[in-house]
């Protein structure tokens, strides 16, 4: 089994292009908590994730953190792609939230593949375009959306199919790009309304239906 089997769009590349990236790609594993890249570093490889999650976040000069996006299985890292194409350094940090398995395609091989293979080029830019659209949406939400709506949306997203979110107020603030005090006030209001129950380092979603209506702006 080739590592490209984890990426259906890559698997559809013409045989010469597929062989090019298959031969150059190298599978690596990193533990949870490992720093994948950091601010000021130049990218050395194109990154494709086979399993696990990488959180990409940025910290402002005043110490406020915001989670820009997460890279999950089957995805590439948009910031790595943009830095490779633009010959730039990272402006954010990528950290493995879980143990990860990833494919690294060395910079020289990436440059060769993107210049010689229109199909690989389309694969790269399609993934980058999708992520950029999500980042513009994030900017719009931070600038214009109410914090109660954004918090309800994120709680539902983070809880998945369950009813618990194992995050502190500070971690939730980083998720939403705001101050911990703002999140604490809003969670206290949610608790007063019977929407959530709080415990140390964990939240329980008590009334998912009302949270869902709030997340939809109702």
């Amino acid at each position: 089994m080739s590592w490209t089997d984890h990426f259906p769009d890559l698997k559809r590349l013409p045989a010469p292009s597929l062989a090019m990236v298959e031969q150059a790609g190298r599978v690596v594993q990193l533990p949870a908590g490992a720093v994948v890249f950091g601010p000021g570093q130049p990218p050395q490889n194109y990154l494709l994730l086979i399993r696990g999650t990488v959180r990409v976040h940025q910290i402002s000069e005043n110490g406020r953190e915001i989670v820009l996006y997460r890279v999950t299985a089957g995805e590439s890292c948009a910031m790595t792609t943009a830095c490779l194409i633009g010959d730039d350094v990272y402006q954010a940090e990528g950290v493995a939230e879980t143990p990860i398995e990833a494919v690294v395609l060395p910079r020289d091989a990436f440059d060769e593949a993107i210049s010689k293979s229109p199909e690989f080029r389309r694969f790269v830019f399609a993934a980058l375009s999708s992520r950029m659209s999500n980042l513009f949406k994030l900017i719009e939400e931070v600038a214009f959306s109410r914090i109660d709506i954004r918090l309800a949306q994120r709680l539902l997203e983070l809880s998945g199919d369950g009813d618990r979110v194992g995050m502190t107020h500070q971690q939730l603030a980083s998720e939403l790009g705001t101050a911990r005090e703002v999140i604490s006030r809003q969670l206290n209001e949610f608790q007063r309304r019977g929407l959530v129950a709080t415990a140390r380092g964990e939240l329980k979603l008590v009334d998912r239906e009302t949270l869902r209506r709030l997340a939809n702006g109702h």
Side-chain angles (χ1 to χ4, degrees), residues 1-63:
M1 178 178 178
S2 168
W3 63 261
T4 55
D5 292 329
H6 296 278
F7 305 93
D9 289 339
L10 267 186
K11 203 67 178 175
R12 289 193 285 269
L13 291 178
S17 300
L18 181 62
M20 186 191 309
V21 296
E22 279 185 333
Q23 292 170 10
R26 179 169 56 91
V27 177
V28 298
Q29 296 180 340
L30 292 173
V35 177
V36 182
F37 55 80
Q41 297 175 349
Q44 301 298 325
N45 304 283
Y46 181 60
L47 179 68
L48 292 160
L49 208 60
I50 294 176
R51 66 178 179 88
T53 305
V54 174
R55 182 183 74 252
V56 179
H57 62 268
Q58 192 168 33
I59 300 177
S60 68
E61 291 183 358
N62 62 9

Side-chain angles (χ1 to χ4, degrees), residues 131-202:
R131 183 65 72 187
M132 291 303 297
S133 296
N134 291 336
L135 284 174
F136 284 130
K137 181 180 178 183
L138 173 63
I139 293 170
E140 181 180 358
E141 288 176 350
V142 171
F144 303 115
S145 294
R146 285 167 26 197
I147 191 63
D148 58 339
I149 293 177
R150 294 179 60 220
L151 180 57
Q153 291 170 340
R154 190 54 58 92
L155 290 175
L156 291 168
E157 176 186 329
L158 292 170
S159 65
D161 296 328
D163 63 357
R164 295 184 184 276
V165 176
M167 284 192 173
T168 65
H169 292 195
Q170 181 58 61
Q171 288 171 323
L172 283 169
S174 298
E175 290 285 325
L176 297 176
T178 188
R180 182 187 60 79
E181 293 79 7
V182 174
I183 294 298
S184 296
R185 284 197 299 270
Q186 191 58 62
L187 285 174
N188 286 338
E189 174 61 17
F190 280 2
Q191 190 168 19
R192 186 190 66 79
R193 294 168 59 185
L195 306 183
V196 302
T198 62
R200 188 174 182 83
E202 185 178 77

